[in-house]
């Protein structure tokens, strides 16, 4: 697309986008680069691998920077448009009435620079427009503008519903981690690494050593899983304001998901084995074209009593809570 077609007042991303883009390029090639470095270090005379790494790393960094330099976005009367791509150019056009969700994230790099990442999602799979680094004031204005264009609730529906808020308490956060993370991974790791450890220790008849090793591995991996869960779900807050559902959580990577209630297709209560014993579960929301990753749904609230699920639906998504009369055909 010719640059002349880009409006003169088109927006630019924050320079932090160049840093994030360069790091993302390196992360994608990290395994290959490590392999090349190891092979190069072991080679006696050939330095091909090291030369390859020396050339590839600057190119990958340059790709992230070039993409930032060339990225532009702007708004029209009917939607939002952007020019994207480091070497292969791509134009994205999203009508306002096709926006299904607006998601805001702040990773460690974003927090260091005081910026936010805004993802605009439609009915297709994945993220259709990724504004990877915006200063927080700009991100807030764009999010509010988009949601104002997307939301079209009737005045009566807004007046009829009071705002609802539900938070995840500290002890509940711990229970979520204990009941959903770590155990299975620990068992797999123990069974995979035990033969090697037993061989190093010279143990022919492991007996109790196997049990101790298994329990230790399970404890370590479970602790890691619980820690990751607590960091991810830290400060979990669910809000229903008018026709909008807002989900916020995260300590180091802060995430905000805003969904129009009329776009919700279904709610799903998912229970691990331990959660079934405790009568609890995690509620996931199904929205066309919006998910954390392909094949996954967004977690609406991670700790809900099974016998209170209907009441939870009535509070936050009353559109799905209407009583349906069932008759025999």
């Amino acid at each position: 697309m010719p640059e002349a077609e880009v409006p003169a007042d088109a927006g630019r991303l924050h320079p932090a986008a160049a840093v994030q883009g360069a790091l993302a390029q390196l992360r994608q090639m990290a395994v290959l680069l490590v392999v090349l470095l190891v092979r190069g270090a072991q080679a006696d005379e050939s330095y091909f691998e090291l030369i390859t790494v020396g050339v590839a790393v600057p190119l990958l960094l340059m790709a992230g920077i070039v993409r930032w330099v060339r990225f532009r976005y702007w708004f029209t009367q009917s939607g939002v448009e952007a020019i994207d791509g480091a070497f292969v150019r791509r134009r994205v056009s999203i009508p306002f009435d096709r926006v299904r969700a607006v998601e805001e994230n702040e990773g460690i790099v974003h927090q260091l620079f005081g910026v936010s990442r805004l993802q605009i999602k439609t009915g297709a799979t994945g993220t259709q427009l990724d504004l990877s680094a915006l200063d927080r004031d700009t991100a807030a204005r764009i999010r509010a503008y988009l949601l104002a264009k997307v939301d079209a609730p009737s005045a009566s529906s807004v007046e009829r519903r009071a705002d609802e808020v539900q938070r995840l308490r500290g002890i509940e956060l711990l229970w979520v981690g204990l009941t959903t993370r770590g155990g299975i991974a620990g068992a797999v790791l123990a069974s995979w690494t035990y033969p090697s450890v037993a061989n190093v220790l010279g143990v022919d008849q492991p007996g109790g050593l196997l049990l101790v090793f298994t329990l230790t591995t399970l404890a370590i991996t479970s602790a890691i899983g619980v820690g990751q869960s607590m960091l991810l779900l830290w400060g979990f807050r669910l809000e229903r304001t008018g026709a909008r559902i807002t989900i916020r959580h995260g300590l180091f990577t802060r995430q905000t998901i805003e969904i129009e209630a009329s776009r919700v297709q279904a709610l799903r209560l998912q229970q691990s084995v331990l959660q079934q014993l405790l009568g609890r579960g995690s509620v996931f929301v199904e929205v066309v074209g919006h998910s954390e990753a392909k094949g996954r749904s967004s977690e609406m609230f991670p700790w809900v009593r099974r016998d209170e699920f209907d009441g939870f639906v009535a509070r936050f998504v009353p559109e799905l809570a209407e009583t349906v009369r069932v008759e025999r055909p």
Side-chain angles (χ1 to χ4, degrees), residues 32 36 48 111 153 161 176 253 260 273 311:
L32 178 59
L36 290 173
F48 174 77
Q111 294 177 48
R161 298 191 193 98
V176 172
T253 300
E260 187 183 354
V273 175

Side-chain angles (χ1 to χ4, degrees), residues 22 25-26 52-66 86-87:
Q25 294 290 337
L26 289 176
T52 302
V53 172
V55 173
V57 170
L59 288 177
L60 293 173
L61 294 175
M62 186 60 65
I65 296 173
V66 170
F87 304 112

Side-chain angles (χ1 to χ4, degrees), residues 201-212:
L201 297 178
V203 178
D204 297 328
Q205 301 294 330
L209 181 61
L210 174 60
L211 178 61
V212 172

Side-chain angles (χ1 to χ4, degrees), residues 6 15 20 24 31 70 116 128 137 188 198 218 257 305 317:
V6 179
Q20 185 194 31
V31 175
R70 304 186 72 178
S116 295
Q128 279 65 59
D137 290 340
V188 173
L218 284 172
I257 303 173
R305 289 179 60 92
V317 196

